[in-house]
Amino acid sequence: MLLQDRGEATVALGLAAALVIIWTSLFNIRGPGLFYEAQPSLELQDGEDSVFLRHAMNVEFPSPIDYTPIHEVCTHNPSTFRPGLLFSCEEQHGGVGMVRNQILKCIRYAIHGGGALVIPSMAKRNPKDISDIETSNEVPLEYLFDREAFITHLTGACPGIRLYNRAEDFPSYENRAGDPLSLVGDQFEPDHPRTGLSDPASWRGSFDSWLMEQNVAVAASAPVHVQIGQAYLEYPVHNDSLPFSSEFGKLLSFRADARALAARVLLQLQQRFDLPINPGKAINEHAFFGAHLRLEKDAVEAWSPEEGWRFSRMEDQFGEVYGEVRRSGLGVVYVACGDQGIVESFSEYISKRLREEEEEGGAGGGGGKGRNITIVTKNTLLPPHDLARLNELSFDQQALVDFLIMFKASFFMGVAHSSFPWTVALRRHELSRFRDGGYANLGSDLLRDEFSVIMGMRRDYPYVDPFEWGLWP
């Protein structure tokens, strides 16, 4: 249809321009990452159980995310969010557990401060030296996490927050009030107790006072950009409420290809060993043991045995895991470790201990009747097609598969000086009968419940970081 006059043409052009603006704004937060293409969907192979695999992929947390407690925090004060304020947290570094927690803290501070957020990024570990985590190789959120799920969950749970792909996409960013300001989460309370900031509710007031000290005022016409730096386990994750702490971590779901690979690992466990694994359950009892061995190069360098880190000695860590495996009565042990040589040494250690017990039993007249314990990893379980896809992933991306399998193990064990086992054990603790009674149960002064144990006692470590207070499950 032809436009009748200049007025109709003007209206049409205006509508077209509006559509372009809307489309561009959606692309700004939903467009592809700067370095990584969209993750592949689950590609079924001949004979695979599609129902099992899809259920396994979809069960990442003890229960699906419930926006309600996050929404209550975000909407408690209608004036929380204000135009002209932008937060970002670039190049967060560490292992998967710490990067995940740093990003969640950044989001929480953005909610406290009442600003928009640049979709977080992280620093990629040096592939030639895995102990080098503080690199300048910045990678986007989807390097480890599901970008689409993050956007959907955060904007659904916290409707006041605005997300941007880049700082430059923020309205009037070119007119910002000077260079970005740098801030760390505990800057206003550097000597906070071990349990974290003593009064997170006062952070907003301290932050606003700090902005005044910087001689800047938040205004839509001259935005303020605040870069949140990396502090360590300073935010008390249980401060808002128990329901909030349970749901907030679900904003970050692992990337889809890692969940697909983990689903196939779980299927192989079920089929090869005839294990009672229900892919729809968060934890499967009487199926397999999950052991996180933290003895890679970066761990032994950071927590040296010569400095008192007992469980950085191979014999000590192997011995603790073996004793717990024996107590569990489980015959299949899934091992997570970034060094396959260590896994092989552990398998040899298990075989040796079993032989010794059998010989002792025989010498004592007990018949020497032994029990088999089978050691498996993602590398030994995945079929060739999927193993090739796994080997294309980086050190930390491969660790995602281990996280997902450990979440579903019948029983899990890891050391106290790594965020990996604490992240796994704390999430599993959400289903424990001890959930409301703390973490140190059944004789442990660290964490033990019916599903998981953090290895040893506090006296076995030079110190133990406050993971139970500072990690979102």
Side-chain angles (χ1 to χ4, degrees):
M1 183 179 74
L2 297 177
L3 299 176
Q4 298 299 314
D5 54 33
R6 187 185 300 271
E8 289 188 11
T10 301
V11 170
L13 287 172
L15 289 172
L19 287 172
V20 169
I21 292 171
I22 292 171
W23 182 87
T24 302
S25 67
L26 289 173
F27 180 83
N28 284 339
I29 63 170
R30 294 186 182 272
L34 300 177
F35 306 100
Y36 292 88
E37 296 299 325
Q39 302 151 4
S41 59
L42 181 64
E43 300 171 3
L44 296 174
Q45 305 298 307
D46 290 341
E48 282 192 318
D49 187 335
S50 62
V51 175
F52 183 103
L53 292 174
R54 295 192 187 282
H55 275 302
M57 278 190 70
N58 291 334
V59 178
E60 185 178 356
F61 297 95
S63 61
I65 187 170
D66 177 6
Y67 293 163
T68 306
I70 306 173
H71 187 272
E72 289 174 352
V73 169
C74 286
T75 60
H76 179 70
N77 186 342
S79 62
T80 292
F81 294 96
R82 43 192 167 169
L85 179 60
L86 178 67
F87 289 93
S88 66
C89 43
E90 300 90 354
E91 298 184 17
Q92 303 298 301
H93 61 266
V96 173
M98 288 312 302
V99 167
R100 173 182 178 271
N101 209 60
Q102 296 291 350
I103 290 173
L104 289 170
K105 283 193 302 180
C106 182
I107 299 166
R108 188 66 190 90
Y109 287 127
I111 295 172
H112 271 304
L117 179 69
V118 177
I119 294 180
S121 66
M122 63 203 74
K124 183 180 180 181
R125 188 190 299 260
N126 183 351
K128 296 181 180 178
D129 179 5
I130 61 172
S131 62
D132 181 12
I133 56 176
E134 297 187 47
T135 71
S136 58
N137 187 359
E138 184 180 9
V139 291
L141 186 77
E142 56 267 35
Y143 178 70
L144 294 179
F145 304 102
D146 187 326
R147 178 192 181 91
E148 282 294 314
F150 169 71
I151 294 169
T152 298
H153 291 330
L154 183 54
T155 55
C158 197
I161 201 165
R162 296 289 180 266
L163 298 176
Y164 293 89
N165 198 36
R166 305 176 306 152
E168 292 78 9
D169 298 326
F170 190 69
S172 301
Y173 188 77
E174 66 279 6
N175 300 321
R176 64 189 178 279
D179 294 331
L181 302 173
S182 296
L183 178 71
V184 293
D186 60 357
Q187 187 162 316
F188 311 130
E189 192 185 357
D191 298 321
H192 57 78
R194 182 178 183 276
T195 52
L197 301 178
S198 56
D199 184 19
S202 67
W203 195 88
R204 170 67 172 261
S206 299
F207 172 69
D208 286 346
S209 297
W210 175 78
L211 286 178
M212 293 179 62
E213 293 170 4
Q214 312 308 307
N215 295 315
V216 296
V218 175
S221 58
V224 175
H225 180 183
V226 178
Q227 295 174 324
I228 301 290
Q230 193 149 334
Y232 188 66
L233 298 174
E234 84 287 2
Y235 195 89
V237 301
H238 303 291
N239 174 76
D240 293 292
S241 68
L242 183 59
F244 182 95
S245 67
S246 296
E247 301 304 321
F248 194 62
K250 298 175 186 177
L251 293 173
L252 288 175
S253 181
F254 291 151
R255 46 187 284 163
D257 53 353
R259 287 187 282 119
L261 287 170
R264 286 200 167 92
V265 170
L266 203 65
L267 180 60
Q268 289 294 316
L269 278 167
Q270 184 209 50
Q271 292 179 340
R272 289 196 197 183
F273 303 101
D274 194 26
L275 298 178
I277 295 176
N278 178 350
K281 291 187 64 175
I283 296 176
N284 287 272
E285 298 181 28
H286 313 299
F288 66 97
F289 190 102
H292 178 239
L293 300 180
R294 195 66 174 100
L295 291 163
E296 300 94 334
K297 174 180 179 290
D298 64 320
V300 177
E301 288 182 359
W303 301 290
S304 168
E306 289 73 28
E307 296 176 354
W309 294 94
R310 174 190 161 200
F311 293 124
S312 286
R313 287 195 293 268
M314 189 174 291
E315 187 79 11
D316 285 7
Q317 193 171 141
F318 285 179
E320 287 290 315
V321 175
Y322 177 74
E324 200 65 51
V325 171
R326 292 293 274 159
R327 282 188 287 273
S328 74
L330 297 165
V332 178
V333 179
Y334 180 93
V335 174
C337 183
D339 187 329
Q340 292 307 303
I342 291 168
V343 178
E344 292 170 7
S345 296
F346 179 65
S347 184
E348 293 169 2
Y349 175 90
I350 293 291
S351 297
K352 178 184 175 184
R353 289 291 300 269
L354 289 173
R355 284 195 307 270
E356 290 172 349
E357 289 184 7
E358 188 171 353
E359 291 167 1
E360 290 173 4
K369 190 174 183 180
R371 179 169 68 87
N372 289 329
I373 295 176
T374 304
I375 307 301
V376 297
T377 68
K378 56 187 180 294
N379 302 81
T380 63
L381 289 168
L382 285 172
H385 170 78
D386 295 304
L387 184 59
R389 292 180 66 176
L390 177 75
N391 290 332
E392 293 174 356
L393 302 179
S394 70
F395 179 87
D396 288 304
Q397 289 172 332
Q398 291 191 25
L400 301 178
V401 177
D402 289 329
F403 266 100
L404 291 161
I405 297 301
M406 293 304 183
F407 289 143
K408 298 186 179 185
S410 308
F411 197 82
F412 169 77
M413 187 180 206
V415 296
H417 51 270
S418 169
S419 63
F420 182 119
W422 279 100
T423 301
V424 172
L426 289 170
R427 183 176 300 182
R428 291 161 59 87
H429 189 73
E430 296 282 291
L431 295 173
S432 171
R433 68 179 186 271
F434 300 109
R435 181 190 182 199
D436 297 329
Y439 305 107
N441 304 291
L442 303 172
S444 170
D445 62 356
L446 289 166
L447 183 151
R448 180 184 278 273
D449 56 29
E450 65 271 42
F451 301 125
S452 312
V453 62
I454 296 297
M455 187 179 298
M457 305 286 280
R458 290 187 184 274
R459 63 176 177 268
D460 293 317
Y461 301 87
Y463 61 87
V464 178
D465 290 317
F467 292 112
E468 69 269 44
W469 305 108
L471 278 183
W472 270 286

